[in-house]
Amino acid sequence: MATVSLQHLQKIYDTGNLAVEDFNMEIQDGEFIVLVGPSGCGKSTTLRMIAGLEGITKGKMLIDGNDVTEKASKDRDIAMVFQNYALYGNMTVYQNMAFSLILRKENPEVIHNKVIAAAKMLRLYEQLNKKPSALSGGQRQRVAMGRSIVRNPKVFLFDEPLSNLDAQLRSSMRREIKILHNKLKATMIYVTHDQTEALTLADRIVVMSMGRVQQIGTPYEIYNNPNNMFVASFIGNPPTNFFTGKIQDGCLNINGTMIKLRKKELDLCNGVEEITLGIRPERVFADENGYPVKVELVEHLGQFSLIHCVMAKTKCVFKVKGWIDLAEGSEFKVGLDLDKCFLFDNETGQRLRG
């Protein structure tokens, strides 16, 4: 398919609003990249700049080494799948998928073969003579993907394509998209606010906040080695628990609760006045010699239970295996897996690293 080079992209609107600042990334041929972040973080604006639907204020974009910064969208050989499907309601599935090729005046036999091949790949062959109104939401989204596939573009772009689907369909369509990528070996850039989509689909994730890239890495890297408190809080469900305190007598003093730290953690904290300890809900375990917590609520999720509680005067959530019944107000003690904890400078929010 294609490589994509995004060199220090910036987007400032006429109103003076800075939407994207210094987006810099090299995307490899066949890579699946997911841009993730909260609403307004700049991820969709970045995708629209790649598509040519938004002008680039500053920076450069290359596809396969060719500068396309100033090229119109139609000249970039990119296909985009939108969240609202953007299908023609008066056309059949076949006609929707063939439409762009007809406009290009391709050979009718070539068009037919491409549409049939894409329809079979997407399990739409039996739906080709139907109108979009007769299809389910998942089928409509597959038609939108099929319309892109027949064009055989260099790069596929997805703008929150599953946001209009219910939870069960989203799960199913995630698998469809992953299977599609494995079959096509295509370069894909995908925008979502859903961290589950990011973790399950991506070869690499780009986490964005307030127009800036916070971290780029594999799902494993993003989850297990977040750069800062924002990444640690945004990626993971339930989110990371944070406890803020100061170093005192070899411990982190969190509202009077003394969390014993090892030498390597203390060395990281040297010179930092206020520390935030982050720990994921699954990195906590029952320990009769540990730290006291008070139960507020237990959520049963079948294989797991979420224990909402208070530790060191801080609300937190712990995730444990099995069906755990604990009464509201009951107390028990927990240990923390320090090897899996994160330490942050509370003032900057940045991860403390050795």
Side-chain angles (χ1 to χ4, degrees):
M1 284 285 142
T3 60
V4 179
S5 178
L6 307 173
Q7 302 178 6
H8 306 288
L9 298 190
Q10 181 191 68
K11 178 63 181 181
I12 302 177
Y13 287 105
D14 294 339
T15 58
N17 178 46
L18 176 63
V20 177
E21 174 66 11
D22 198 31
F23 190 105
N24 199 44
M25 186 179 190
E26 301 295 323
I27 300 172
Q28 302 304 311
D29 184 13
E31 202 170 12
F32 198 126
I33 300 297
V34 176
L35 311 184
V36 67
S39 297
C41 72
K43 58 188 184 296
S44 289
T45 301
T46 301
L47 194 76
R48 289 174 66 83
M49 284 194 287
I50 296 170
L53 301 176
E54 293 279 3
I56 296 172
T57 304
K58 189 184 295 184
K60 187 183 292 187
M61 175 182 164
L62 285 72
I63 297 179
D64 272 347
N66 299 312
D67 191 343
V68 299
T69 310
E70 302 297 332
K71 283 191 174 183
S73 179
K74 64 182 178 63
D75 298 323
R76 295 189 181 192
D77 201 6
I78 283 175
M80 192 162 180
V81 179
F82 298 92
Q83 67 183 60
N84 62 356
Y85 320 134
L87 302 177
Y88 297 106
N90 62 328
M91 294 183 182
T92 64
V93 169
Y94 184 102
Q95 291 167 332
N96 267 281
M97 292 173 65
F99 188 65
S100 64
L101 302 182
I102 294 172
L103 289 181
R104 290 182 181 181
K105 299 182 179 179
E106 287 202 21
N107 183 292
E109 185 177 351
V110 171
I111 293 174
H112 180 76
N113 290 337
K114 286 183 176 181
V115 170
I116 295 301
K120 289 181 176 178
M121 181 186 297
L122 295 167
R123 292 181 290 110
L124 290 169
Y125 185 76
E126 302 298 328
Q127 319 300 329
L128 284 174
N129 291 322
K130 294 181 180 179
K131 299 284 182 65
S133 59
L135 305 178
S136 68
Q139 288 172 328
R140 292 180 199 179
Q141 195 56 277
R142 292 208 301 273
V143 175
M145 288 191 289
R147 187 175 52 191
S148 296
I149 291 169
V150 297
R151 289 177 52 193
N152 191 29
K154 287 186 174 180
V155 182
F156 288 85
L157 306 179
F158 295 85
D159 189 8
E160 304 213 38
L162 309 185
S163 61
N164 289 334
L165 304 179
D166 61 39
Q168 187 173 355
L169 261 179
R170 282 201 303 273
S171 177
S172 174
M173 285 303 300
R174 281 201 307 270
R175 294 192 295 272
E176 297 273 358
I177 292 172
K178 192 65 177 178
I179 291 169
L180 179 65
H181 178 250
N182 290 338
K183 287 180 178 178
L184 297 178
K185 307 296 183 185
T187 305
M188 294 185 175
I189 306 173
Y190 186 106
V191 159
T192 183
H193 64 274
D194 186 328
Q195 53 156 309
T196 301
E197 290 177 30
L199 289 168
T200 55
L201 289 173
D203 293 321
R204 283 191 294 162
I205 297 172
V206 182
V207 184
M208 297 185 69
S209 175
M210 299 180 68
R212 292 183 176 272
V213 173
Q214 301 297 309
Q215 187 170 352
I216 299 174
T218 65
Y220 181 89
E221 290 166 345
I222 295 291
Y223 188 82
N224 291 288
N225 292 296
N227 278 350
N228 54 44
M229 289 177 65
F230 175 80
V231 175
S233 64
F234 191 80
I235 300 295
N237 187 28
T240 298
N241 298 298
F242 294 109
F243 301 92
T244 299
K246 294 183 178 181
I247 301 299
Q248 180 182 334
D249 300 327
C251 299
L252 183 59
N253 183 347
I254 305 169
N255 298 318
T257 297
M258 306 297 280
I259 305 294
K260 181 68 176 176
L261 299 179
R262 301 169 300 187
K263 183 178 183 302
K264 62 180 181 179
E265 284 91 33
L266 292 171
D267 288 344
L268 289 176
C269 299
N270 187 35
V272 181
E273 184 173 340
E274 197 166 44
I275 306 300
T276 293
L277 180 148
I279 185 164
R280 295 208 178 274
E282 68 271 20
R283 300 303 184 184
V284 182
F285 53 91
D287 182 356
E288 61 183 17
N289 298 314
Y291 309 103
V293 299
K294 187 173 183 177
V295 176
E296 289 192 330
L297 174 71
V298 177
E299 288 185 275
H300 298 117
L301 303 179
Q303 186 179 359
F304 297 96
S305 296
L306 299 182
I307 304 174
H308 298 259
C309 53
V310 176
M311 172 181 162
K313 300 179 182 177
T314 304
K315 288 184 180 293
C316 50
V317 180
F318 300 141
K319 182 178 181 180
V320 297
K321 288 185 177 180
W323 191 284
I324 306 297
D325 283 317
L326 293 169
E328 179 183 340
S330 63
E331 296 184 0
F332 64 104
K333 291 185 177 181
V334 299
L336 309 178
D337 185 353
L338 288 181
D339 283 327
K340 302 297 183 181
C341 286
F342 315 125
L343 293 176
F344 304 95
D345 182 326
N346 192 57
E347 183 177 344
T348 66
Q350 294 300 305
R351 175 95 173 271
L352 300 176
R353 299 181 184 272

